[in-house]
Amino acid sequence: MLENIGRMFMGTTSRIIITTILSFVIAVNGPRRLGAFGIVFDPTNYGQNLLTAARALEQINNQVRSLQNQTQSLLNQAKNLTSLPTSVVGQLSSTINQTNGLISQAKNISFDVQKAQQDFERLYPRQYAAAVSSDKMVQDATARWDNSYDGLKQSLTLQSAIVSNLDQDGRTLQTLMANSSAAVGSLQAQQSGNELLALQIKQSLQTQALMATQARADTLRAAEQQASSAAAKERFTRFIGDGHAYTSGK
């Protein structure tokens, strides 16, 4: 719309200049046509009129150039305020929510700090006391195995989700690069840059989530081995007893 107004303005100013010049010619040539009726031609007045007309024309030209600059400035501002026709923010947010949902599905030993500490101390003791029954040790061993299994399963699920998003991230990157190259103003360029940064942050969050779940799975397996060793030591001690049953000669 601003471009149409600019073109209309250019045509109007051109007509003003032409009208001014024609008026000047008529004003200058008028006395010459009336010379037969006794009007004397005054060169000095003619020169002054010519100089005045030239100055008036120059002022009009300056005003035209000023208005042209203002029109171009408005056109540039309109371009700079034009936003991107599409956005990938919703898509990126959806992927992040999906990742968070997979993390929240952690079972047994969760990512809650206080609960994780309590469950770990209960299921992964440094050693078993003599008062703990064998059935309780078997139950704890089963729970530890379930924790390790769920940890590995969650890590594998998150890995699969991240890998499945790689193709989508590639297409998103191509879209953002195209939007950045075709940006018509500062706003579109800034939006493209922000969305490229958002894509990078999303990938960084996915990497952190993957590292967290993988480290959780590795930690649960290592803790399971440690607790199993403690349980095996206690069962062996109970089996041997005080050693009198194995005294030689009896």
Side-chain angles (χ1 to χ4, degrees), residues 50-68:
L50 182 61
L51 181 60
T52 300
R55 289 175 178 173
L57 183 59
E58 181 63 24
Q59 290 179 354
I60 293 175
N61 287 333
N62 291 335
Q63 293 176 359
V64 169
R65 284 191 291 269
S66 177
L67 292 175
Q68 287 176 341

Side-chain angles (χ1 to χ4, degrees), residues 182-201:
V184 299
S186 59
L187 179 59
Q188 286 193 357
Q190 184 177 3
Q191 286 179 327
S192 298
N194 290 340
E195 294 195 352
L196 282 169
L197 181 60
L199 175 61
Q200 182 180 1
I201 293 174

Side-chain angles (χ1 to χ4, degrees), residues 107-167:
K107 298 179 180 179
N108 302 321
I109 302 295
S110 66
F111 287 100
D112 180 81
V113 176
Q114 185 175 1
K115 188 175 184 303
Q117 289 177 341
Q118 294 174 351
D119 291 341
F120 191 85
E121 291 175 358
R122 176 174 57 86
L123 295 174
Y124 301 88
R126 290 179 179 272
Q127 62 182 13
Y128 276 95
V132 178
S133 66
S134 296
D135 290 341
K136 179 64 168 62
M137 286 191 288
V138 172
Q139 292 175 1
D140 289 350
T142 302
R144 290 191 294 268
W145 186 90
D146 288 339
N147 291 344
S148 298
Y149 177 85
D150 291 334
L152 293 172
K153 179 181 178 181
Q154 185 194 34
S155 178
L156 181 62
T157 301
L158 187 58
Q159 290 175 24
S160 300
I162 292 177
V163 171
S164 65
N165 288 329
L166 291 179
D167 290 340

Side-chain angles (χ1 to χ4, degrees), residues 82-88 175 178-180 182-184 187-188 191-192 195:
T82 302
S83 61
L84 289 174
T86 59
S87 176
V88 298
T175 300
N179 290 341
S180 179
V184 299
L187 179 59
Q188 286 193 357
Q191 286 179 327
S192 298
E195 294 195 352

